[in-house]
Amino acid sequence: MTFQPSILEIQLPDWIDTFLRERPGYISPVEDRMSFVIEAAQLNVFKGTGGPFAAAVFETESGKLVSLAVNLVTSGGLSILHAEMLALALAQRKVGTYDLGRYDVPGHDLVASAEPCAMCLGAIPWSGVRRVIVGASDSDVRAIGFDEGPKIKDWKSELEKRGIATICDVRREAAVQVLLNYSLQGGKIYNSRESG
Amino acid sequence: MTFQPSILEIQLPDWIDTFLRERPGYISPVEDRMSFVIEAAQLNVFKGTGGPFAAAVFETESGKLVSLAVNLVTSGGLSILHAEMLALALAQRKVGTYDLGRYDVPGHDLVASAEPCAMCLGAIPWSGVRRVIVGASDSDVRAIGFDEGPKIKDWKSELEKRGIATICDVRREAAVQVLLNYSLQGGKIYNSRESG
């Protein structure tokens, strides 16, 4: 075959580093964790670096911020670059394990500005996070035109069966506002395939 | 927060490059595409570089091999590193778009040695591939202990609704043999979270 590189590199936008330097390393109330994530999602729209979504991983108890990511599908040129996928991967690199739920590491939250699509939902049990905190709902995301994909209806109980708690509608209005801002700004609805 | 790197690097095992150099750049019959992928899955088990899974992207009509990947969860330390996710990402980098189904690029197949888990299933519509070819079934994968996650039952019709064809049970016995070899060898069942 023609050449395939042996390294896949994913570059985060420069502004994330600046953003993180200005923020606290620990955030405790769930609503404050979500506000932080929504702010990053809004910045991603403002900077034009991707879709209107952000996600972060925190240590559940201590509130330590472990990773922050934003949607980079359009700027990174890869359809898997949803905020949740990147936040989970960055957190696993930092903690040094593919299982954030391992017995010898603290429990972790995934905080997402919007309800996970089918792919990100599927990624959650593999990741080892013990709790998922969601802002905007699936219907809010679909309302601006994104197809969230072939997703199981009763996703919360499917996560709960696997020992993963969920908290939804956290600062939902603020999260929806980011979606609307993106839509109003003419942001690309790089859709999941809806028809041939 | 503590430092977060601005680049996420995913390193493929060295043997893939050698493997690819020895193989043709075009493969036409679907069964032969699958045999190629199964061979890579078996090598991944043999080399100890990850789970018993491989996936490749081909141009549907021409048979051009666009990307090949294997499961790297354990060696890469990231739970998202399923073979399908990596194969899609590598193909998108090579083609230069996050949408392999874009009107101005040829149609693409995803060929996977085993039925996609919930995460990889969700990744397929976003990727733009127009056809998915599967070896071992979901039940074959669960039989060696992997939890495929919160997956929609009628996944084929969900893909078809989105203009994506599926062909299953292609060289299934050979694909199952790789799963069994992994299991017999004591390969790690790095599970999706089944309980707290």
Side-chain angles (χ1 to χ4, degrees):
Chain A
M1 75 180 294
T2 56
F3 177 72
Q4 171 168 295
S6 63
I7 295 181
L8 179 71
E9 275 193 357
I10 295 157
Q11 172 82 52
L12 275 73
D14 292 339
W15 64 260
I16 289 192
D17 191 51
T18 316
F19 179 76
L20 286 173
R21 281 174 203 279
E22 293 164 353
R23 294 298 178 295
Y26 289 77
I27 306 177
S28 273
V30 161
E31 293 73 18
D32 293 356
R33 292 181 194 175
M34 181 60 77
S35 294
F36 166 80
V37 168
I38 290 171
E39 204 184 338
Q42 180 55 55
L43 256 173
N44 200 38
V45 173
F46 179 70
K47 302 277 189 183
T49 36
F53 309 104
V57 172
F58 289 90
E59 285 183 6
T60 305
E61 291 303 322
S62 73
K64 183 181 174 186
L65 175 61
V66 182
S67 67
L68 170 69
V70 292
N71 177 296
L72 296 176
V73 170
T74 53
S75 62
L78 303 179
S79 59
I80 66 168
L81 294 184
H82 287 201
E84 297 94 321
M85 305 297 282
L86 256 176
L88 292 171
L90 290 166
Q92 290 173 343
R93 272 290 153 84
K94 186 180 276 186
V95 179
T97 172
Y98 57 81
D99 181 7
L100 295 172
R102 218 173 61 181
Y103 71 94
D104 58 350
V105 299
H108 288 91
D109 284 358
L110 174 68
V111 182
S113 66
E115 192 176 312
C117 77
M119 170 177 71
C120 297
L121 173 62
I124 288 168
W126 295 116
S127 73
V129 295
R130 301 300 184 112
R131 195 166 70 159
V132 178
I133 294 156
V134 170
S137 74
D138 184 278
S139 58
D140 297 331
V141 178
R142 292 185 196 265
I144 65 159
F146 284 105
D147 170 17
E148 292 275 78
K151 189 168 153 188
I152 206 154
K153 275 211 176 105
D154 197 6
W155 63 278
K156 289 184 214 174
S157 69
E158 284 292 326
L159 291 185
E160 274 155 29
K161 271 187 214 168
R162 292 168 173 84
I164 303 163
T166 54
I167 309 179
C168 291
D169 299 325
V170 177
R171 307 243 318 121
R172 179 174 170 188
E173 280 180 36
V176 169
Q177 193 56 54
V178 178
L179 302 177
L180 296 177
N181 292 346
Y182 183 74
S183 185
L184 284 169
Q185 183 181 303
K188 181 146 182 74
I189 309 296
Y190 55 85
N191 236 332
S192 158
R193 189 121 328 257
E194 284 192 79
S195 65
Chain B
M1 73 180 294
T2 56
F3 177 71
Q4 171 168 294
S6 62
I7 295 181
L8 179 70
E9 275 193 357
I10 295 157
Q11 172 84 51
L12 276 71
D14 292 339
W15 64 262
I16 289 192
D17 192 51
T18 316
F19 179 76
L20 287 173
R21 282 175 201 277
E22 293 164 352
R23 293 298 179 295
Y26 290 78
I27 306 177
S28 273
V30 161
E31 292 74 16
D32 294 356
R33 292 181 194 175
M34 181 60 77
S35 294
F36 166 82
V37 167
I38 291 171
E39 205 182 338
Q42 179 54 55
L43 256 171
N44 201 38
V45 174
F46 179 70
K47 302 278 190 184
T49 37
F53 308 103
V57 172
F58 289 89
E59 285 184 6
T60 304
E61 292 303 324
S62 73
K64 183 180 173 186
L65 174 61
V66 182
S67 67
L68 171 68
V70 291
N71 176 296
L72 296 176
V73 170
T74 54
S75 62
L78 303 180
S79 59
I80 67 168
L81 293 185
H82 287 201
E84 298 94 319
M85 306 296 283
L86 256 177
L88 292 171
L90 289 166
Q92 290 173 343
R93 271 289 153 84
K94 187 180 276 186
V95 178
T97 171
Y98 57 80
D99 181 8
L100 295 171
R102 216 174 62 182
Y103 70 94
D104 58 350
V105 299
H108 288 91
D109 284 359
L110 174 67
V111 182
S113 66
E115 192 175 313
C117 77
M119 170 179 70
C120 297
L121 174 63
I124 288 168
W126 295 115
S127 75
V129 296
R130 300 299 182 112
R131 195 165 70 158
V132 178
I133 294 157
V134 170
S137 73
D138 185 278
S139 58
D140 298 332
V141 177
R142 291 186 197 264
I144 64 159
F146 283 106
D147 170 17
E148 291 276 78
K151 190 169 153 188
I152 206 154
K153 275 214 176 102
D154 197 7
W155 63 277
K156 289 184 214 175
S157 69
E158 283 292 325
L159 291 185
E160 273 153 31
K161 269 187 215 167
R162 292 168 173 85
I164 302 163
T166 53
I167 309 179
C168 291
D169 298 325
V170 177
R171 307 241 322 118
R172 179 174 170 190
E173 281 181 35
V176 169
Q177 194 56 55
V178 178
L179 302 178
L180 296 177
N181 292 346
Y182 183 75
S183 185
L184 285 168
Q185 184 181 302
K188 181 147 182 73
I189 309 295
Y190 54 86
N191 238 332
S192 158
R193 190 127 321 262
E194 287 190 78
S195 65

